[in-house]
Amino acid sequence: MKVTILGNNSALPAFGRHPSCQIVSVYGEDLMLDCGEGTQMQMHRYGLRWRNLGYIFISHLHGDHYFGLPGLINSMNLLSRTAPLHVFGPPALEGILQQILDVADTVLCFPYEFHPLPEGSALLVDTPSFSVTCFPVEHRISCHGFVVERKTRGRKILPDRCGDYGVPSTFFDRLKQGEDYVTPEGMVVKNEWVTEAGPSPRRYAYCADTLFTESFLPYVTGVDTLYHECTYLDADAEKAAARFHTTARQAAQLARMANAKQLLLGHFSSKYRDLDPFRAEAAEVFPGAQLAVEGVAYEI
Ligand SMILES: [Zn+2]
């Protein structure tokens, strides 16, 4: 499970940085978190295709988080996408997107479903491979964070070993559940001889745009990787609070309180060219804090 950063800046594109967008990959499926302007170009640039992209989640309706969405949907249509697309976002987004389609007399050639986010927290998607929940954060307008959880899929089959012991592929589903195999001659093939431990559950929390607050801690406690915005450095803490944003030090405090294993920092203000002070300030509170760098995929 990994997250690829396509945009790490706030408000404006600046210093080669783009507005918010990330892609979380789980077992070969891609989920997009926010879709700022330039997302399509960033996908091209970093070789990400939308073939595996079935879900898009928009945290709130400030333009730097969704202005890339109409263009992306339009391109999917022009290129004759056939796979379904599910978009989750604030209720007003449905009409905005529909109007853009209607005025151009565009009828989408693929199944498209809009799912309005509820006010509070909710389970949005639940598949055998992963789940996505939303939770409210505190911003100037209604805003949600998201938790993506990778589920376990049983034990991992070792095909070569199965061949050695003569375990047929028709038994693989039962092997994944941990069963031993008994050959027609009555010999017991121990499960651990032909499988190994499967991937463990993993959780990634995307905390979107928010004030520094403990209000959503219950939703993000114990996550493997926590992404938190840090629009400003601590010297600008007053400005951060007035604009419902967070500083690098505060983001690190939140990650520490949440007992997160890894912290990614993003949504940097356009007033900063050099980002290393963000990393240094956060690392004083949360050692190992990393900047979310565009084009980089981070293991979760
Ligand atoms: Zn923003």
Side-chain angles (χ1 to χ4, degrees):
M1 186 180 183
K2 62 182 182 180
V3 56
T4 305
I5 308 301
L6 294 183
N8 65 5
N9 214 51
S10 74
L12 312 167
F15 309 117
R17 307 193 302 257
H18 300 72
S20 295
C21 181
Q22 314 189 347
I23 291 186
V24 177
S25 305
V26 194
Y27 294 126
E29 285 200 67
D30 288 342
L31 293 74
M32 182 177 283
L33 303 176
D34 281 333
C35 185
E37 184 186 347
T39 288
Q40 287 194 79
M41 274 76 92
Q42 289 290 81
M43 290 178 79
H44 280 297
R45 185 173 189 178
Y46 297 114
L48 292 157
R49 297 168 180 232
W50 43 253
R51 193 180 304 143
N52 303 325
L53 179 63
Y55 299 90
I56 299 176
F57 301 86
I58 302 296
S59 64
H60 67 300
L61 291 183
H62 283 150
D64 55 326
H65 293 258
Y66 79 101
F67 281 176
L69 194 50
L72 181 62
I73 291 176
N74 198 54
S75 293
M76 288 174 169
N77 198 48
L78 290 172
L79 295 170
S80 306
R81 176 190 175 100
T82 53
L85 179 70
H86 296 274
V87 176
F88 294 77
L93 181 58
E94 180 172 23
I96 295 169
L97 292 174
Q98 196 57 51
Q99 190 171 11
I100 289 171
L101 296 173
D102 288 347
V103 292
D105 201 17
T106 299
V107 177
L108 294 177
C109 62
F110 55 89
Y112 157 77
E113 219 173 305
F114 184 86
H115 308 265
L117 293 177
E119 296 240 323
S121 66
L123 176 65
L124 303 176
V125 182
D126 194 19
T127 78
S129 305
F130 64 88
S131 67
V132 182
T133 51
C134 68
F135 60 90
V137 297
E138 296 186 31
H139 200 37
R140 196 157 54 74
I141 58 173
S142 172
C143 185
H144 283 85
F146 303 101
V147 171
V148 182
E149 178 168 3
R150 177 183 75 178
K151 300 180 182 179
T152 59
R153 290 207 300 195
R155 294 187 62 82
K156 187 176 172 214
I157 308 281
L158 302 171
D160 288 354
R161 298 273 195 87
C162 287
D164 294 345
Y165 286 102
V167 183
S169 59
T170 49
F171 195 78
F172 282 8
D173 278 344
R174 292 169 71 179
L175 278 186
K176 283 186 186 168
Q177 304 309 315
E179 281 188 47
D180 294 337
Y181 176 69
V182 182
T183 67
E185 296 76 33
M187 182 193 141
V188 175
V189 178
K190 288 275 191 198
N191 190 284
E192 61 264 31
W193 299 348
V194 290
T195 68
E196 60 185 24
S200 54
R202 287 283 156 88
R203 287 202 302 150
Y204 176 62
Y206 175 79
C207 301
D209 282 17
T210 183
L211 268 178
F212 175 50
T213 171
E214 297 177 30
S215 66
F216 58 81
L217 257 185
Y219 303 106
V220 302
T221 295
V223 295
D224 294 277
T225 300
L226 185 134
Y227 163 88
H228 203 292
E229 72 128 288
C230 56
T231 310
Y232 298 100
L233 291 170
D234 222 39
D236 274 327
E238 265 180 43
K239 193 184 276 181
R243 297 180 180 182
F244 291 82
H245 285 302
T246 304
T247 70
R249 182 178 305 280
Q250 292 167 339
Q253 284 167 352
L254 199 283
R256 200 165 156 163
M257 285 188 274
N259 211 7
K261 296 193 184 75
Q262 184 172 228
L263 169 62
L264 280 181
L265 300 162
H267 201 265
F268 310 109
S269 164
S270 309
K271 70 180 262 189
Y272 304 96
R273 175 188 288 272
D274 180 15
L275 300 181
D276 199 58
F278 285 86
R279 189 202 51 75
E281 187 175 286
E284 287 174 16
V285 179
F286 191 100
Q290 298 183 76
L291 301 178
V293 176
E294 291 180 11
V296 176
Y298 298 85
E299 275 305 318
I300 292 168

PDB file of all heavy atoms in Angstrom, residues 191-216:
ATOM      1  N   ASN A 191       0.234 -26.138   6.217  1.00  0.00           N
ATOM      2  CA  ASN A 191      -0.028 -24.845   5.570  1.00  0.00           C
ATOM      3  C   ASN A 191       1.222 -23.980   5.478  1.00  0.00           C
ATOM      4  O   ASN A 191       1.514 -23.384   4.440  1.00  0.00           O
ATOM      5  CB  ASN A 191      -1.150 -24.116   6.324  1.00  0.00           C
ATOM      6  CG  ASN A 191      -1.625 -22.900   5.578  1.00  0.00           C
ATOM      7  OD1 ASN A 191      -0.955 -21.873   5.568  1.00  0.00           O
ATOM      8  ND2 ASN A 191      -2.772 -22.999   4.908  1.00  0.00           N
ATOM      9  N   GLU A 192       1.991 -23.957   6.579  1.00  0.00           N
ATOM     10  CA  GLU A 192       3.154 -23.038   6.599  1.00  0.00           C
ATOM     11  C   GLU A 192       4.283 -23.494   5.671  1.00  0.00           C
ATOM     12  O   GLU A 192       5.203 -22.748   5.405  1.00  0.00           O
ATOM     13  CB  GLU A 192       3.670 -22.811   8.028  1.00  0.00           C
ATOM     14  CG  GLU A 192       4.144 -24.054   8.750  1.00  0.00           C
ATOM     15  CD  GLU A 192       3.051 -24.657   9.643  1.00  0.00           C
ATOM     16  OE1 GLU A 192       1.858 -24.511   9.288  1.00  0.00           O
ATOM     17  OE2 GLU A 192       3.392 -25.271  10.669  1.00  0.00           O
ATOM     18  N   TRP A 193       4.215 -24.736   5.142  1.00  0.00           N
ATOM     19  CA  TRP A 193       5.215 -25.178   4.171  1.00  0.00           C
ATOM     20  C   TRP A 193       4.979 -24.526   2.808  1.00  0.00           C
ATOM     21  O   TRP A 193       5.898 -24.419   2.009  1.00  0.00           O
ATOM     22  CB  TRP A 193       5.183 -26.695   3.977  1.00  0.00           C
ATOM     23  CG  TRP A 193       5.473 -27.505   5.218  1.00  0.00           C
ATOM     24  CD1 TRP A 193       5.966 -27.034   6.401  1.00  0.00           C
ATOM     25  CD2 TRP A 193       5.272 -28.911   5.394  1.00  0.00           C
ATOM     26  NE1 TRP A 193       6.087 -28.053   7.316  1.00  0.00           N
ATOM     27  CE2 TRP A 193       5.663 -29.226   6.715  1.00  0.00           C
ATOM     28  CE3 TRP A 193       4.790 -29.946   4.574  1.00  0.00           C
ATOM     29  CZ2 TRP A 193       5.599 -30.516   7.229  1.00  0.00           C
ATOM     30  CZ3 TRP A 193       4.732 -31.222   5.090  1.00  0.00           C
ATOM     31  CH2 TRP A 193       5.138 -31.511   6.404  1.00  0.00           C
ATOM     32  N   VAL A 194       3.740 -24.164   2.532  1.00  0.00           N
ATOM     33  CA  VAL A 194       3.408 -23.711   1.175  1.00  0.00           C
ATOM     34  C   VAL A 194       2.810 -22.290   1.132  1.00  0.00           C
ATOM     35  O   VAL A 194       2.372 -21.827   0.082  1.00  0.00           O
ATOM     36  CB  VAL A 194       2.423 -24.694   0.483  1.00  0.00           C
ATOM     37  CG1 VAL A 194       3.122 -26.007   0.156  1.00  0.00           C
ATOM     38  CG2 VAL A 194       1.195 -24.941   1.343  1.00  0.00           C
ATOM     39  N   THR A 195       2.774 -21.632   2.290  1.00  0.00           N
ATOM     40  CA  THR A 195       2.279 -20.245   2.327  1.00  0.00           C
ATOM     41  C   THR A 195       3.172 -19.439   3.264  1.00  0.00           C
ATOM     42  O   THR A 195       3.983 -19.993   4.017  1.00  0.00           O
ATOM     43  CB  THR A 195       0.843 -20.142   2.887  1.00  0.00           C
ATOM     44  OG1 THR A 195       0.862 -20.474   4.274  1.00  0.00           O
ATOM     45  CG2 THR A 195      -0.136 -21.038   2.138  1.00  0.00           C
ATOM     46  N   GLU A 196       3.011 -18.133   3.205  1.00  0.00           N
ATOM     47  CA  GLU A 196       3.635 -17.281   4.224  1.00  0.00           C
ATOM     48  C   GLU A 196       2.612 -16.242   4.661  1.00  0.00           C
ATOM     49  O   GLU A 196       1.544 -16.114   4.028  1.00  0.00           O
ATOM     50  CB  GLU A 196       4.922 -16.626   3.704  1.00  0.00           C
ATOM     51  CG  GLU A 196       4.717 -15.734   2.500  1.00  0.00           C
ATOM     52  CD  GLU A 196       6.037 -15.194   1.953  1.00  0.00           C
ATOM     53  OE1 GLU A 196       7.099 -15.810   2.163  1.00  0.00           O
ATOM     54  OE2 GLU A 196       5.984 -14.143   1.301  1.00  0.00           O
ATOM     55  N   ALA A 197       2.937 -15.514   5.737  1.00  0.00           N
ATOM     56  CA  ALA A 197       1.982 -14.538   6.267  1.00  0.00           C
ATOM     57  C   ALA A 197       1.603 -13.534   5.182  1.00  0.00           C
ATOM     58  O   ALA A 197       2.465 -13.050   4.445  1.00  0.00           O
ATOM     59  CB  ALA A 197       2.586 -13.810   7.463  1.00  0.00           C
ATOM     60  N   GLY A 198       0.322 -13.235   5.057  1.00  0.00           N
ATOM     61  CA  GLY A 198      -0.143 -12.249   4.068  1.00  0.00           C
ATOM     62  C   GLY A 198       0.099 -10.846   4.573  1.00  0.00           C
ATOM     63  O   GLY A 198       0.560 -10.652   5.695  1.00  0.00           O
ATOM     64  N   PRO A 199      -0.216  -9.850   3.726  1.00  0.00           N
ATOM     65  CA  PRO A 199      -0.021  -8.462   4.130  1.00  0.00           C
ATOM     66  C   PRO A 199      -0.909  -8.116   5.328  1.00  0.00           C
ATOM     67  O   PRO A 199      -2.068  -8.537   5.379  1.00  0.00           O
ATOM     68  CB  PRO A 199      -0.455  -7.655   2.900  1.00  0.00           C
ATOM     69  CG  PRO A 199      -0.778  -8.628   1.831  1.00  0.00           C
ATOM     70  CD  PRO A 199      -0.808  -9.994   2.412  1.00  0.00           C
ATOM     71  N   SER A 200      -0.350  -7.390   6.283  1.00  0.00           N
ATOM     72  CA  SER A 200      -1.126  -7.039   7.480  1.00  0.00           C
ATOM     73  C   SER A 200      -2.025  -5.846   7.167  1.00  0.00           C
ATOM     74  O   SER A 200      -1.805  -5.125   6.200  1.00  0.00           O
ATOM     75  CB  SER A 200      -0.176  -6.701   8.621  1.00  0.00           C
ATOM     76  OG  SER A 200       0.711  -5.698   8.198  1.00  0.00           O
ATOM     77  N   PRO A 201      -3.075  -5.634   7.980  1.00  0.00           N
ATOM     78  CA  PRO A 201      -3.928  -4.465   7.748  1.00  0.00           C
ATOM     79  C   PRO A 201      -3.094  -3.184   7.887  1.00  0.00           C
ATOM     80  O   PRO A 201      -2.160  -3.137   8.675  1.00  0.00           O
ATOM     81  CB  PRO A 201      -4.970  -4.545   8.861  1.00  0.00           C
ATOM     82  CG  PRO A 201      -4.840  -5.886   9.470  1.00  0.00           C
ATOM     83  CD  PRO A 201      -3.478  -6.393   9.166  1.00  0.00           C
ATOM     84  N   ARG A 202      -3.438  -2.189   7.099  1.00  0.00           N
ATOM     85  CA  ARG A 202      -2.735  -0.898   7.161  1.00  0.00           C
ATOM     86  C   ARG A 202      -3.759   0.210   7.106  1.00  0.00           C
ATOM     87  O   ARG A 202      -4.778   0.079   6.415  1.00  0.00           O
ATOM     88  CB  ARG A 202      -1.791  -0.742   5.955  1.00  0.00           C
ATOM     89  CG  ARG A 202      -0.555  -1.592   6.013  1.00  0.00           C
ATOM     90  CD  ARG A 202       0.457  -0.988   6.959  1.00  0.00           C
ATOM     91  NE  ARG A 202       1.369  -1.992   7.452  1.00  0.00           N
ATOM     92  CZ  ARG A 202       2.501  -2.355   6.850  1.00  0.00           C
ATOM     93  NH1 ARG A 202       2.855  -1.754   5.748  1.00  0.00           N
ATOM     94  NH2 ARG A 202       3.266  -3.277   7.367  1.00  0.00           N
ATOM     95  N   ARG A 203      -3.457   1.316   7.796  1.00  0.00           N
ATOM     96  CA  ARG A 203      -4.387   2.450   7.746  1.00  0.00           C
ATOM     97  C   ARG A 203      -3.642   3.740   7.418  1.00  0.00           C
ATOM     98  O   ARG A 203      -2.575   4.024   7.973  1.00  0.00           O
ATOM     99  CB  ARG A 203      -5.115   2.606   9.082  1.00  0.00           C
ATOM    100  CG  ARG A 203      -6.165   1.515   9.309  1.00  0.00           C
ATOM    101  CD  ARG A 203      -7.215   1.954  10.329  1.00  0.00           C
ATOM    102  NE  ARG A 203      -6.601   2.299  11.590  1.00  0.00           N
ATOM    103  CZ  ARG A 203      -7.092   3.205  12.428  1.00  0.00           C
ATOM    104  NH1 ARG A 203      -8.208   3.855  12.133  1.00  0.00           N
ATOM    105  NH2 ARG A 203      -6.481   3.473  13.560  1.00  0.00           N
ATOM    106  N   TYR A 204      -4.227   4.496   6.509  1.00  0.00           N
ATOM    107  CA  TYR A 204      -3.675   5.795   6.107  1.00  0.00           C
ATOM    108  C   TYR A 204      -4.722   6.868   6.387  1.00  0.00           C
ATOM    109  O   TYR A 204      -5.881   6.734   5.965  1.00  0.00           O
ATOM    110  CB  TYR A 204      -3.359   5.781   4.609  1.00  0.00           C
ATOM    111  CG  TYR A 204      -2.871   7.121   4.073  1.00  0.00           C
ATOM    112  CD1 TYR A 204      -1.689   7.683   4.545  1.00  0.00           C
ATOM    113  CD2 TYR A 204      -3.590   7.816   3.102  1.00  0.00           C
ATOM    114  CE1 TYR A 204      -1.238   8.904   4.061  1.00  0.00           C
ATOM    115  CE2 TYR A 204      -3.136   9.036   2.607  1.00  0.00           C
ATOM    116  CZ  TYR A 204      -1.956   9.572   3.097  1.00  0.00           C
ATOM    117  OH  TYR A 204      -1.508  10.782   2.615  1.00  0.00           O
ATOM    118  N   ALA A 205      -4.332   7.909   7.105  1.00  0.00           N
ATOM    119  CA  ALA A 205      -5.259   9.005   7.402  1.00  0.00           C
ATOM    120  C   ALA A 205      -4.845  10.260   6.652  1.00  0.00           C
ATOM    121  O   ALA A 205      -3.682  10.679   6.720  1.00  0.00           O
ATOM    122  CB  ALA A 205      -5.291   9.290   8.901  1.00  0.00           C
ATOM    123  N   TYR A 206      -5.795  10.831   5.925  1.00  0.00           N
ATOM    124  CA  TYR A 206      -5.601  12.080   5.183  1.00  0.00           C
ATOM    125  C   TYR A 206      -6.427  13.134   5.919  1.00  0.00           C
ATOM    126  O   TYR A 206      -7.664  13.071   5.903  1.00  0.00           O
ATOM    127  CB  TYR A 206      -6.095  11.886   3.754  1.00  0.00           C
ATOM    128  CG  TYR A 206      -6.060  13.125   2.885  1.00  0.00           C
ATOM    129  CD1 TYR A 206      -4.870  13.560   2.313  1.00  0.00           C
ATOM    130  CD2 TYR A 206      -7.224  13.854   2.619  1.00  0.00           C
ATOM    131  CE1 TYR A 206      -4.842  14.687   1.500  1.00  0.00           C
ATOM    132  CE2 TYR A 206      -7.199  14.981   1.805  1.00  0.00           C
ATOM    133  CZ  TYR A 206      -6.008  15.389   1.253  1.00  0.00           C
ATOM    134  OH  TYR A 206      -5.977  16.502   0.444  1.00  0.00           O
ATOM    135  N   CYS A 207      -5.764  14.064   6.569  1.00  0.00           N
ATOM    136  CA  CYS A 207      -6.501  14.986   7.463  1.00  0.00           C
ATOM    137  C   CYS A 207      -6.928  16.284   6.779  1.00  0.00           C
ATOM    138  O   CYS A 207      -7.422  17.196   7.466  1.00  0.00           O
ATOM    139  CB  CYS A 207      -5.681  15.274   8.715  1.00  0.00           C
ATOM    140  SG  CYS A 207      -5.298  13.775   9.650  1.00  0.00           S
ATOM    141  N   ALA A 208      -6.740  16.387   5.480  1.00  0.00           N
ATOM    142  CA  ALA A 208      -7.265  17.510   4.678  1.00  0.00           C
ATOM    143  C   ALA A 208      -6.819  18.865   5.232  1.00  0.00           C
ATOM    144  O   ALA A 208      -5.709  18.987   5.740  1.00  0.00           O
ATOM    145  CB  ALA A 208      -8.779  17.407   4.568  1.00  0.00           C
ATOM    146  N   ASP A 209      -7.689  19.870   5.110  1.00  0.00           N
ATOM    147  CA  ASP A 209      -7.373  21.229   5.607  1.00  0.00           C
ATOM    148  C   ASP A 209      -8.072  21.408   6.947  1.00  0.00           C
ATOM    149  O   ASP A 209      -9.292  21.254   7.039  1.00  0.00           O
ATOM    150  CB  ASP A 209      -7.909  22.289   4.638  1.00  0.00           C
ATOM    151  CG  ASP A 209      -7.034  22.462   3.411  1.00  0.00           C
ATOM    152  OD1 ASP A 209      -6.217  21.560   3.141  1.00  0.00           O
ATOM    153  OD2 ASP A 209      -7.175  23.491   2.720  1.00  0.00           O
ATOM    154  N   THR A 210      -7.318  21.771   7.969  1.00  0.00           N
ATOM    155  CA  THR A 210      -7.936  21.871   9.290  1.00  0.00           C
ATOM    156  C   THR A 210      -7.149  22.766  10.240  1.00  0.00           C
ATOM    157  O   THR A 210      -5.942  22.939  10.085  1.00  0.00           O
ATOM    158  CB  THR A 210      -8.082  20.466   9.922  1.00  0.00           C
ATOM    159  OG1 THR A 210      -8.761  20.573  11.177  1.00  0.00           O
ATOM    160  CG2 THR A 210      -6.730  19.803  10.143  1.00  0.00           C
ATOM    161  N   LEU A 211      -7.868  23.294  11.184  1.00  0.00           N
ATOM    162  CA  LEU A 211      -7.285  23.905  12.366  1.00  0.00           C
ATOM    163  C   LEU A 211      -6.516  22.835  13.123  1.00  0.00           C
ATOM    164  O   LEU A 211      -6.826  21.654  12.979  1.00  0.00           O
ATOM    165  CB  LEU A 211      -8.402  24.308  13.333  1.00  0.00           C
ATOM    166  CG  LEU A 211      -9.049  25.652  13.351  1.00  0.00           C
ATOM    167  CD1 LEU A 211     -10.143  25.628  14.419  1.00  0.00           C
ATOM    168  CD2 LEU A 211      -8.013  26.702  13.731  1.00  0.00           C
ATOM    169  N   PHE A 212      -5.611  23.242  13.991  1.00  0.00           N
ATOM    170  CA  PHE A 212      -5.015  22.289  14.918  1.00  0.00           C
ATOM    171  C   PHE A 212      -6.083  21.945  15.956  1.00  0.00           C
ATOM    172  O   PHE A 212      -6.529  22.818  16.703  1.00  0.00           O
ATOM    173  CB  PHE A 212      -3.796  22.913  15.580  1.00  0.00           C
ATOM    174  CG  PHE A 212      -3.200  22.045  16.640  1.00  0.00           C
ATOM    175  CD1 PHE A 212      -2.920  20.710  16.406  1.00  0.00           C
ATOM    176  CD2 PHE A 212      -2.901  22.569  17.893  1.00  0.00           C
ATOM    177  CE1 PHE A 212      -2.359  19.914  17.382  1.00  0.00           C
ATOM    178  CE2 PHE A 212      -2.336  21.780  18.871  1.00  0.00           C
ATOM    179  CZ  PHE A 212      -2.068  20.453  18.622  1.00  0.00           C
ATOM    180  N   THR A 213      -6.533  20.707  15.959  1.00  0.00           N
ATOM    181  CA  THR A 213      -7.588  20.306  16.896  1.00  0.00           C
ATOM    182  C   THR A 213      -7.461  18.821  17.219  1.00  0.00           C
ATOM    183  O   THR A 213      -7.016  18.038  16.370  1.00  0.00           O
ATOM    184  CB  THR A 213      -8.994  20.557  16.296  1.00  0.00           C
ATOM    185  OG1 THR A 213      -9.973  19.968  17.154  1.00  0.00           O
ATOM    186  CG2 THR A 213      -9.143  19.941  14.908  1.00  0.00           C
ATOM    187  N   GLU A 214      -7.861  18.491  18.439  1.00  0.00           N
ATOM    188  CA  GLU A 214      -7.860  17.077  18.829  1.00  0.00           C
ATOM    189  C   GLU A 214      -9.204  16.421  18.518  1.00  0.00           C
ATOM    190  O   GLU A 214      -9.402  15.247  18.807  1.00  0.00           O
ATOM    191  CB  GLU A 214      -7.578  16.939  20.334  1.00  0.00           C
ATOM    192  CG  GLU A 214      -6.210  17.455  20.729  1.00  0.00           C
ATOM    193  CD  GLU A 214      -5.991  17.379  22.234  1.00  0.00           C
ATOM    194  OE1 GLU A 214      -6.570  16.481  22.877  1.00  0.00           O
ATOM    195  OE2 GLU A 214      -5.262  18.231  22.758  1.00  0.00           O
ATOM    196  N   SER A 215     -10.122  17.177  17.941  1.00  0.00           N
ATOM    197  CA  SER A 215     -11.501  16.684  17.808  1.00  0.00           C
ATOM    198  C   SER A 215     -11.605  15.410  16.969  1.00  0.00           C
ATOM    199  O   SER A 215     -12.497  14.603  17.175  1.00  0.00           O
ATOM    200  CB  SER A 215     -12.403  17.768  17.222  1.00  0.00           C
ATOM    201  OG  SER A 215     -12.017  18.057  15.900  1.00  0.00           O
ATOM    202  N   PHE A 216     -10.693  15.232  16.010  1.00  0.00           N
ATOM    203  CA  PHE A 216     -10.817  14.027  15.170  1.00  0.00           C
ATOM    204  C   PHE A 216      -9.803  12.942  15.532  1.00  0.00           C
ATOM    205  O   PHE A 216      -9.676  11.935  14.826  1.00  0.00           O
ATOM    206  CB  PHE A 216     -10.731  14.384  13.678  1.00  0.00           C
ATOM    207  CG  PHE A 216      -9.477  15.092  13.255  1.00  0.00           C
ATOM    208  CD1 PHE A 216      -8.313  14.390  13.003  1.00  0.00           C
ATOM    209  CD2 PHE A 216      -9.468  16.475  13.090  1.00  0.00           C
ATOM    210  CE1 PHE A 216      -7.155  15.052  12.603  1.00  0.00           C
ATOM    211  CE2 PHE A 216      -8.321  17.142  12.686  1.00  0.00           C
ATOM    212  CZ  PHE A 216      -7.165  16.421  12.445  1.00  0.00           C
TER     213      PHE A 216
END
